[in-house]
Amino acid sequence: MASDDIAQLADALSKTHVGDGELSYKGLGLKLDNAESAEQLARDIKQYQGLRALRLEGNTLGVEAAQAIAKALENKDMLQRCYWSDMFTGRLRSEIPPALRSMGSAILSAGARLTELDLSDNAFGPDGVKGIEQLLKSPSCHTMRELKLNNCGMGIGGGKILAEALIECHRQSSSLGAPLRLRVFIAGRNRLENEGASALAKAFQLMGSLEEIHMPQNGINYSGVMALASAIRHNPELRVLNLNDNTFTKKGSLPMAQALRHLRNIQVINFGDCLVRSEGAVALAAVLREGLPILKELNLSFGEITEAAALVVAQAVTDKADMEKLDLNGNCLGEEGCEALREAMENMNKGDVLESLSDDEGDEDDSGNDDDDDNDDDDVSDDCNEENEEGSENGITTNGNSPVSPNSPAEITSFLSCPSAEQLLQLGQLRTHLQQEVDASEPQKAADVILKIGSLYSEDPETKAAVLDTIDAMLKKLLSGSTLQSYCFLSTLLVMMGLLKGEGKTKKALLVPGQLLCLEHAVQQEYFPKHDASLLHIFLSRNDGVLKSCGSARERLSSALERRCQD
């Protein structure tokens, strides 16, 4: 090594931080290519008594230098924390696995018991995970509490290797009576995608000890989100969940909302830039209403959420005494929507909780579905025909192939395939079986049945009584469960009524006044919760023009909702 290089290294090493069991070379920019260049650093490590933490961030190690440092670590049995992020800048990817293996083997030889390992910002890919695989499986990691692998480019393959290593570590540690209890897991920007996330979800579920999960920007969509949702409900101590910049959509948002109901200790939820959309936001609002008692931060920014859904979320944080930050920036509120949201938060004395709305993407048409195919009404005929194809009766889409309960009487099946007021009256006492055709776990089917029966409403006293009694019985059942269940049903009903932009293949109904008059009656009943009425009122008031064809029935429903919300 040239004399100038030696002098430069000596100067850098003179800035080494020593104290409290920690030896730090953080940010010194050392370029250690071989054993000679690492000699002084290795000597410092070897001579340090009681070493508990080693910081090597912001330097760059070659294979030989790593081997020299490893040699110095072989007798450091008190080492607990390894801060080794950004440690291979400028190195070939092929250099990183042997360097990591050397240092990992030294920890094993020393018999150290790690509590924290940070290898973030090392672009080592799947091969780099192989370099730490044996370490992660070993007794040295049975005591691991924090594992940080942010921005390592692990990919799907690396995610799977990591998951298997954690599962094996848990298995071995459990057999010794002290199972791995990882608390913090950080692996953002790793291209894990669905397969990698699903593999890790199995490890998370097995451990059940996580307090923080950070997995932003990993290309995870709904199937991976569903796997993670299944896992987090088994981690009751979870405090921080950061899945920013993945893709939920409704298919991922609903299972995630269901999982969050099981968490009482969560304080920070970051689902920003996750395409939660309005239906997902409504589901999360339901969970806010009935749970998450100590939540401090909720990020739903850049999620294609409309004004009405944002207002539902805002109302749901009313009783959250610890709430410090609500981020709804970058959604589709429009100028008036932003102002309405600010006003709503101010009225709840939570104006300071709402983050800036400066990047709002403007008002979005809240009627219709995402896919053009979903709006195609060409296959909707005018009558219920003999083949029971899709048709329209009394202004609402019907489908003779809609599933019915397996034990339903033939009369019920016949009625639902092509409903009419005459048939409803003929059912007599069999009308009670219609309650069995609706369940909160099948919101689309339930909403379809409600709208079918509501379309039969008339001022004929006998028909009116039969329709309203049936609607009351079904809605009482549908709204008696959890807030999440009722919100999911109502949001599906709103989609079918054209008041909420939905996803997938949910068809909009061709509405008639009778359906709105049935709702006008229902919202005034004791079984209809005030917060459910508020949900309907928000969407109706923000999409007033959608129901113009229903004339005075729209005004009657709107007035009934307003009175109910003021009770």
Side-chain angles (χ1 to χ4, degrees), residues 517-533:
L517 295 175
C518 287
L519 285 175
E520 179 210 8
H521 163 82
V523 299
Q524 299 177 69
Q525 308 308 308
E526 288 186 6
Y527 67 76
F528 208 103
K530 183 177 178 179
H531 61 79
D532 287 343

Side-chain angles (χ1 to χ4, degrees), residues 48-61:
Y48 193 103
Q49 299 299 312
L51 181 66
R52 288 183 171 83
L54 178 61
R55 309 196 76 110
L56 295 175
E57 312 103 303
N59 300 289
T60 176
L61 277 60

Side-chain angles (χ1 to χ4, degrees), residues 494-553:
L494 289 166
V495 170
M496 296 181 73
M497 294 174 68
L499 295 170
L500 170 60
K501 188 172 184 177
E503 300 179 40
K505 300 297 180 181
T506 303
K507 283 271 186 193
K508 286 193 297 181
L510 301 178
L511 297 177
V512 295
Q515 295 150 332
L516 273 59
L517 295 175
C518 287
L519 285 175
E520 179 210 8
H521 163 82
V523 299
Q524 299 177 69
Q525 308 308 308
E526 288 186 6
Y527 67 76
F528 208 103
K530 183 177 178 179
H531 61 79
D532 287 343
S534 178
L535 172 67
L536 292 181
H537 184 247
I538 288 173
F539 277 93
L540 180 60
S541 63
R542 262 65 190 176
N543 298 276
D544 205 29
V546 174
L547 304 179
K548 280 185 178 179
S549 63
C550 295
S552 62

Side-chain angles (χ1 to χ4, degrees), residues 5 8 96 100 147 214 291 307 311 346 357 404 458 490:
D5 292 335
Q8 185 177 8
I96 301 176
L100 289 173
L147 179 58
H214 302 262
E307 175 192 356
L311 288 169
E346 289 288 350
L357 301 173
V404 293
S458 77
L490 290 172

Side-chain angles (χ1 to χ4, degrees), residues 306-557:
T306 56
E307 175 192 356
L311 288 169
V312 173
V313 172
Q315 282 193 353
V317 305
T318 302
D319 299 324
K320 294 290 176 278
D322 296 319
M323 182 66 78
E324 298 173 356
K325 182 186 297 184
L326 174 62
D327 193 346
L328 288 164
N329 194 24
N331 284 298
C332 306
L333 311 185
E335 289 186 18
E336 292 184 5
C338 288
E339 186 57 37
L341 181 59
R342 291 190 192 98
E343 183 179 345
M345 294 296 288
E346 289 288 350
N347 290 341
M348 295 185 291
N349 295 318
K350 290 186 179 293
D352 58 336
V353 170
L354 184 65
E355 293 289 283
S356 168
L357 301 173
S358 60
D359 294 318
D360 185 73
E361 296 191 358
D363 194 10
E364 181 178 83
D365 181 9
D366 201 34
S367 62
N369 294 333
D370 289 338
D371 301 321
D372 291 338
D373 291 343
D374 293 344
N375 293 322
D376 186 2
D377 292 323
D378 291 342
D379 59 348
V380 179
S381 60
D382 293 330
D383 303 296
C384 296
N385 59 36
E386 294 179 359
E387 285 76 29
N388 287 326
E389 295 175 348
E390 281 193 340
S392 176
E393 174 72 11
N394 295 304
I396 132 165
T397 301
T398 61
N399 187 342
N401 295 319
S402 295
V404 293
S405 300
N407 298 322
S408 296
E411 294 89 342
I412 296 293
T413 303
S414 175
F415 168 74
L416 289 175
S417 69
C418 191
S420 69
E422 182 181 3
Q423 277 186 299
L424 181 65
L425 293 174
Q426 289 174 352
L427 287 175
Q429 293 300 316
L430 284 176
R431 286 200 297 271
T432 58
H433 286 271
L434 287 170
Q435 295 177 50
Q436 300 173 16
E437 301 303 322
V438 297
D439 193 277
S441 64
E442 297 180 281
Q444 186 166 334
K445 178 186 174 184
D448 184 51
V449 173
I450 290 287
L451 289 173
K452 282 181 178 180
I453 295 173
S455 70
L456 306 179
Y457 178 94
S458 77
E459 290 302 326
D460 171 68
E462 189 178 6
T463 302
K464 180 178 179 179
V467 169
L468 293 181
D469 287 349
T470 305
I471 290 288
D472 281 338
M474 290 192 295
L475 285 177
K476 186 174 183 180
K477 176 183 178 182
L478 290 167
L479 302 179
S480 64
S482 69
T483 304
L484 179 57
Q485 286 180 320
S486 65
Y487 271 33
C488 285
F489 159 68
L490 290 172
S491 64
T492 303
L493 183 66
L494 289 166
V495 170
M496 296 181 73
M497 294 174 68
L499 295 170
L500 170 60
K501 188 172 184 177
E503 300 179 40
K505 300 297 180 181
T506 303
K507 283 271 186 193
K508 286 193 297 181
L510 301 178
L511 297 177
V512 295
Q515 295 150 332
L516 273 59
L517 295 175
C518 287
L519 285 175
E520 179 210 8
H521 163 82
V523 299
Q524 299 177 69
Q525 308 308 308
E526 288 186 6
Y527 67 76
F528 208 103
K530 183 177 178 179
H531 61 79
D532 287 343
S534 178
L535 172 67
L536 292 181
H537 184 247
I538 288 173
F539 277 93
L540 180 60
S541 63
R542 262 65 190 176
N543 298 276
D544 205 29
V546 174
L547 304 179
K548 280 185 178 179
S549 63
C550 295
S552 62
R554 177 194 60 169
E555 301 302 328
R556 288 174 58 177
L557 173 58

Side-chain angles (χ1 to χ4, degrees), residues 20-41:
D20 301 324
E22 178 179 289
L23 187 57
S24 176
Y25 301 89
K26 181 179 179 179
L28 297 184
L30 301 176
K31 190 174 186 295
L32 308 178
D33 297 322
N34 49 42
E36 183 183 5
S37 62
E39 184 177 353
Q40 181 60 52
L41 190 151

Side-chain angles (χ1 to χ4, degrees), residues 145-174:
R145 296 295 177 261
E146 300 185 22
L147 179 58
K148 302 175 182 179
L149 295 165
N150 203 56
N151 191 31
C152 289
M154 290 189 288
I156 294 172
K160 289 181 175 180
I161 296 168
L162 175 60
E164 288 301 319
L166 291 173
I167 289 171
E168 179 62 18
C169 183
H170 186 272
R171 186 190 68 79
Q172 290 187 21
S173 58
S174 296

